[in-house]
Amino acid sequence: NCNAEIMKMNKLFFGLLLQAAFYSGNLYAQADLRTDAYSIIQDAVTDIVCSSSTDAIQKEKRVIQVLHEKGKEDASFVCLCDRFSSLKKFSGEVRDASGNVIRKIKKSELKITEYSDGLVSDDYYYFFEYTPSRYPVTITYEWEIKNSDGLIGYPSFVPQKSYNQSVAQASYRILTPADNPCRYRSINMQAEVSQQQTADGNWLTEVKVQSLPAIKKEPYSPSLSELLPRIYFTPLNFSFERTKGSMESWQSYGEWQYQLLSGRDQLPPTLKEELQKRTANCNTPYEKIAAIYQYLASTTRYVSIQLGIGGLQPIAAADVNRTGFGDCKGLSNYMRAMLTELGIPSVYTVISTTNRRLLADFASANQNNHVILQVPLSNDTLWLECTNPTLPLGYVHHSIAGHDALLVGPNGGTLCQLPTYADSLNTQVNNTLVTLQPDGNAKVEVKQTSRLFQYEDMASIIDMEPARQKDWLRSDINLVQAKVDAIRTNEIKQKEPQLDISYTIESEQYGNKTGKRLFIPINIFHRSFYSPNNQGERTQSIQTNYGYLDIDSISIRLPEGYEIESLPKPVDQESKFGKFRSSITLGDAGNVFIVHRLLYHQGNYPKEDYTDFLDFRKSIATQYGAKIILKKSGE
């Protein structure tokens, strides 16, 4: 995944960081700020002075009180730098509950990250890991970053960094040149931003907040990145490594992005010959695309590369061809260059794997973190994930399906929305035959078919070692003892992909024998389907990340000498969250046939629906966990 990939996009934004602490005697440690809090930001100050469109000094201070062990990760410090930014000053101080200084931290104590095989980057992190020996503890971090040779963005104002962290007070101040006022956009924050010109004509933008309550981590809630109060800041015009651009709109930002592609699509003659050779027998553009996508898969590998213009410019196609590796930008541009050679137009597309929606009227570099390729055909549009060309051609994976994206073309940027799949198409079907013995032993034969998002969830099993495959399948089987064997997989790599898995289960404890009765599970799958307890008043909306359809068809051959004493009742229920239907029928020769059908909707629901949501899930969990009771015949 490319989530770390465009960290440099907003130089100062990612030069922020981590946090600080404070002194428990501080007057801001009010009782309401301790509610659900593992740590409290007692004070956070960001002060930025931009001397030009390319240079700035950023001063930071964080004072954090860590209340107990659950907040220990908030005690550490992290700061990202690169060839555009450098850490000039740093100091740290730790105080105990009485306010006594128990630790001083010098810049020389900071560690610096090293490169890894999967990362080629100008970026490096300073970090200091501090684990308190007792609580509460207060930590103060102060540091200064110098930014040179380019500012494509400014730090975002994000006082809270984690769940269960409250804020007593925080402030943000940025001074920008007279000809380049700062643009901003508030998300989840009511604070008023003040913007005015100083006596010398420069622009001063300020914001202050107080008493932000902790965000409690709740099941089925939106991601933390969606919940955090924040304000984005960006320059109207920017200069970045000898290039100039405008953030006035996505169209103007896209113009700048397109300039970065200029001249980077040249291919060596030997590759051009290879492409023509590989597509010589292809009759349609789709066949040619498929052939080149397969070539990409067999000759390249993904490596996160953040060299060049802030990690935003792809390495040249010829260099990808020479080295055999690239990042999302480089591989997408390489694929684009190869398709251009074959006369097939395509569009470089910037997207986020975390933000479903982009702010349509507020362009900024830090809203996206990934690049894919759009290939418009006469009767279809393909979206190519070039960092993982082992995915079926044209399949839109879950991390980007339905997300907003920026198409980058000669006329600039254009916002669009990727397609997604109907809930009912993300299917998993289990056809199961259970042969039960009088002692509760059983042999189970399973044939499972998964499609689209459920295919994606299961696809990693294909390349696992046999032992790991067995563990993977066993993890969702609701039996105390189960031996999984005879695993067979068949992947159908089409635009709407499918994975077929067959396997057997042998269990000596399938049924629970108690006296003259045998209790047997109605459905051994869906062990992971659970319904959490209602933990008091809900504070956040309810979010289900994707919808799906599960169908379980189970045939149970009952053992000789037993007859049915009790069967679960059929259920047919429907709500805004989905539909569930179960049916149980008796066949000849003492067989029982069970069908469970769950259509689960993707969606976002108000917090007031939480009790109904839990009731819906509890009802389904009860059905999945139901038992058939057998008794010995004639008794």
Side-chain angles (χ1 to χ4, degrees), residues 526-588:
H526 311 292
R527 177 181 178 180
S528 60
F529 190 93
Y530 77 106
S531 182
N533 293 325
N534 199 338
Q535 299 176 337
E537 185 179 355
R538 180 78 178 186
T539 63
Q540 296 150 24
S541 63
I542 307 153
Q543 184 163 302
T544 52
N545 290 325
Y546 75 79
Y548 58 84
L549 174 62
D550 279 350
I551 301 175
D552 303 299
S553 297
I554 302 162
S555 176
I556 302 178
R557 290 178 181 168
L558 303 183
E560 290 185 11
Y562 278 88
E563 60 187 31
I564 296 171
E565 180 177 81
S566 174
L567 289 173
K569 293 181 180 179
V571 171
D572 192 347
Q573 66 181 105
E574 181 174 350
S575 76
K576 65 173 70 177
F577 313 112
K579 302 177 184 179
F580 181 81
R581 178 179 299 168
S582 71
S583 65
I584 303 176
T585 57
L586 301 179
D588 297 334

Side-chain angles (χ1 to χ4, degrees), residues 214-432:
I215 299 172
K216 183 181 177 182
K217 190 169 186 178
E218 297 178 325
Y220 304 106
S221 67
S223 65
L224 181 63
S225 62
E226 293 181 52
L227 297 172
L228 287 174
R230 60 199 182 276
I231 303 177
Y232 293 134
F233 293 92
T234 189
L236 176 61
N237 301 302
F238 62 89
S239 299
F240 210 65
E241 198 174 275
R242 299 181 298 280
T243 70
K244 294 183 181 296
S246 169
M247 286 290 183
E248 183 177 8
S249 66
W250 287 111
Q251 186 273 334
S252 61
Y253 177 62
E255 283 184 353
W256 178 77
Q257 280 263 305
Y258 190 74
Q259 292 175 20
L260 302 186
L261 305 179
S262 178
R264 306 187 85 77
D265 59 354
Q266 302 303 306
L267 301 176
T270 52
L271 176 57
K272 292 181 179 181
E273 293 173 8
E274 180 67 22
L275 298 178
Q276 296 299 334
K277 177 181 176 182
R278 285 179 175 266
T279 58
N281 297 321
C282 296
N283 298 316
T284 65
Y286 183 89
E287 291 178 1
K288 291 182 179 180
I289 296 165
I292 301 308
Y293 195 61
Q294 175 58 39
Y295 177 73
L296 182 74
S298 62
T299 59
T300 64
R301 65 184 178 92
Y302 167 77
V303 174
S304 178
I305 301 170
Q306 295 164 29
L307 304 172
I309 299 180
L312 291 166
Q313 186 176 49
I315 61 175
D319 289 336
V320 176
N321 175 251
R322 177 177 54 82
T323 62
F325 62 80
D327 61 3
C328 66
K329 303 177 298 294
L331 294 172
S332 296
N333 180 64
Y334 182 45
M335 184 73 185
R336 173 175 166 267
M338 291 191 290
L339 293 179
T340 299
E341 174 62 22
L342 299 174
I344 300 172
S346 60
V347 184
Y348 189 84
T349 303
V350 182
I351 195 169
S352 172
T353 58
T354 56
N355 302 323
R356 289 181 62 86
R357 302 280 76 87
L358 300 178
L359 299 171
D361 58 351
F362 186 82
S364 64
N366 64 341
Q367 291 184 58
N368 293 302
N369 65 356
H370 191 46
V371 173
I372 58 174
L373 197 65
Q374 183 208 55
V375 187
L377 299 177
S378 58
N379 57 352
D380 195 7
T381 297
L382 297 178
W383 302 92
L384 305 188
E385 177 54 83
C386 299
T387 61
N388 185 10
T390 60
L391 285 172
L393 176 65
Y395 170 65
V396 183
H397 62 85
H398 183 244
S399 294
I400 58 174
H403 287 212
D404 290 345
L406 184 69
L407 301 173
V408 176
N411 298 319
T414 304
L415 290 180
C416 70
Q417 189 175 120
L418 266 66
T420 190
Y421 305 103
D423 298 341
S424 59
L425 296 179
N426 300 313
T427 59
Q428 186 170 90
V429 178
N430 285 312
N431 286 300
T432 307

